[in-house]
Amino acid sequence: MTRIRFQQSLDQLKENLLVMAGLAEQAIQRAIEAYRVRDLSICDLVSRSEVAINRLERDIDQAALDLLAMEQPMAIDLRFILSVIKINADLERVGDSAKSISERVRNMEQMPAVPELPVDIPRMATLSAEMVRKSLQSFIDADPELARAVLMMDDAVDTMNRAAYKSLTKVMEEQSHIAPQALNALMICRALERVADHATNIAEDVIFWIEGSDVRHHKSVMAQKKAAEAAASSG
């Protein structure tokens, strides 16, 4: 395979991943809209999109593995292909999370209506979806700084998820008649937290691709650094 053909294959791999990204992003947006308007027909769209997402995931993985086997690329090309494989897996899981949310919406619609639950799912959904959008934009633009901005957004989603767990478990303990609805809301929050995690993974892979830096577990590293700084200042 000549260098020109190899570059064309890399471009095609990126293009296919962007199609996959569009499907996954659309699925999570539809799932969120299904929750907001309680429209089960939107849930059907989410379920149907999973078939296309799964098929494309397999195709992208195979194309990436073929390039690794035939070309044995080095340096940034190798990092790009490895990142595509990992991003591909995270996008498929975003699709899974969208389906999980849509299934919970179905459950909620089959149950009696309840007073508003003490959780702001639309706000959490907006932030999680924004993380996905920005992580994908960082990939399109090869922008590690935008990817780093995504990493900084994850704490807010984690905080909202913990608050949701606390408030919704309290509802389940104190108001057993609406516990099933609270449980479905809790599962939606967990799915959104996982979406944010997948967006974080994508951002980390973009940084690895462009800079060759492994920034996984950045939270624990930052926590250790802050602890060390605090100890130094107190000493």
Side-chain angles (χ1 to χ4, degrees), residues 30 34 39-49 102 106:
R30 281 175 169 171
D39 186 340
L40 298 186
S41 67
I42 301 177
C43 295
D44 294 336
L45 293 176
V46 174
S47 296
R48 287 200 292 269
S49 70
S102 69
R106 288 184 189 279

Side-chain angles (χ1 to χ4, degrees), residues 44-108:
D44 294 336
L45 293 176
V46 174
S47 296
R48 287 200 292 269
S49 70
E50 187 186 29
V51 176
I53 289 173
N54 290 344
R55 182 176 61 250
L56 195 51
E57 182 202 19
R58 291 191 295 269
D59 292 345
I60 291 170
D61 268 354
Q62 189 59 58
L65 292 172
D66 288 345
L67 282 174
L68 288 175
M70 290 186 295
E71 286 298 305
Q72 299 181 346
M74 302 296 290
I76 195 167
D77 289 337
L78 175 61
R79 296 200 305 270
F80 173 76
I81 296 171
L82 293 175
S83 296
V84 164
I85 291 172
K86 294 168 67 180
I87 292 170
N88 188 38
D90 276 299
L91 289 172
E92 190 275 334
R93 293 185 183 114
V94 169
D96 287 345
S97 294
K99 184 179 180 184
S100 176
I101 292 170
S102 69
E103 289 173 348
R104 291 293 171 177
V105 172
R106 288 184 189 279
N107 289 343
M108 296 178 86

Side-chain angles (χ1 to χ4, degrees), residues 6 10 13 17 64 68 72-87 139 142 144 202 204-214:
F6 177 60
L10 291 180
L13 189 63
L17 188 68
L68 288 175
Q72 299 181 346
M74 302 296 290
I76 195 167
D77 289 337
L78 175 61
R79 296 200 305 270
F80 173 76
I81 296 171
L82 293 175
S83 296
V84 164
I85 291 172
K86 294 168 67 180
I87 292 170
F139 174 76
I202 293 169
E204 290 171 347
D205 290 329
V206 170
I207 294 170
F208 171 72
W209 161 38
I210 300 300
E211 298 181 348
S213 303
D214 187 346

Side-chain angles (χ1 to χ4, degrees), residues 12-187:
Q12 185 63 53
L13 189 63
K14 182 175 183 179
E15 184 177 331
N16 289 343
L17 188 68
L18 293 178
V19 173
M20 172 77 157
L23 291 174
E25 187 174 7
Q26 182 184 63
I28 197 65
Q29 289 173 343
R30 281 175 169 171
I32 293 166
E33 181 67 6
Y35 173 83
R36 191 181 68 82
V37 301
R38 297 296 203 273
D39 186 340
L40 298 186
S41 67
I42 301 177
C43 295
D44 294 336
L45 293 176
V46 174
S47 296
R48 287 200 292 269
S49 70
E50 187 186 29
V51 176
I53 289 173
N54 290 344
R55 182 176 61 250
L56 195 51
E57 182 202 19
R58 291 191 295 269
D59 292 345
I60 291 170
D61 268 354
Q62 189 59 58
L65 292 172
D66 288 345
L67 282 174
L68 288 175
M70 290 186 295
E71 286 298 305
Q72 299 181 346
M74 302 296 290
I76 195 167
D77 289 337
L78 175 61
R79 296 200 305 270
F80 173 76
I81 296 171
L82 293 175
S83 296
V84 164
I85 291 172
K86 294 168 67 180
I87 292 170
N88 188 38
D90 276 299
L91 289 172
E92 190 275 334
R93 293 185 183 114
V94 169
D96 287 345
S97 294
K99 184 179 180 184
S100 176
I101 292 170
S102 69
E103 289 173 348
R104 291 293 171 177
V105 172
R106 288 184 189 279
N107 289 343
M108 296 178 86
E109 280 304 286
Q110 293 169 2
M111 297 174 183
V114 300
E116 187 171 349
L117 294 168
V119 58
D120 192 349
I121 287 177
R123 179 167 169 262
M124 187 175 180
T126 297
L127 184 53
S128 296
E130 184 181 5
M131 287 180 66
V132 172
R133 181 180 59 78
K134 286 187 174 181
S135 68
L136 294 174
Q137 192 62 49
S138 75
F139 174 76
I140 293 169
D141 296 340
D143 186 346
E145 293 310 311
L146 180 57
R148 285 190 172 86
V150 174
L151 303 186
M152 296 301 102
M153 297 169 69
D154 192 42
D155 285 339
V157 177
D158 289 342
T159 298
M160 283 186 275
N161 187 49
R162 287 192 295 269
Y165 178 83
K166 184 176 180 180
S167 61
L168 291 171
T169 51
K170 184 177 181 181
V171 168
M172 287 187 278
E173 291 168 358
E174 297 178 354
Q175 304 178 60
S176 59
H177 63 290
I178 61 172
Q181 292 281 43
L183 178 60
N184 279 302
L186 179 59
M187 292 300 100

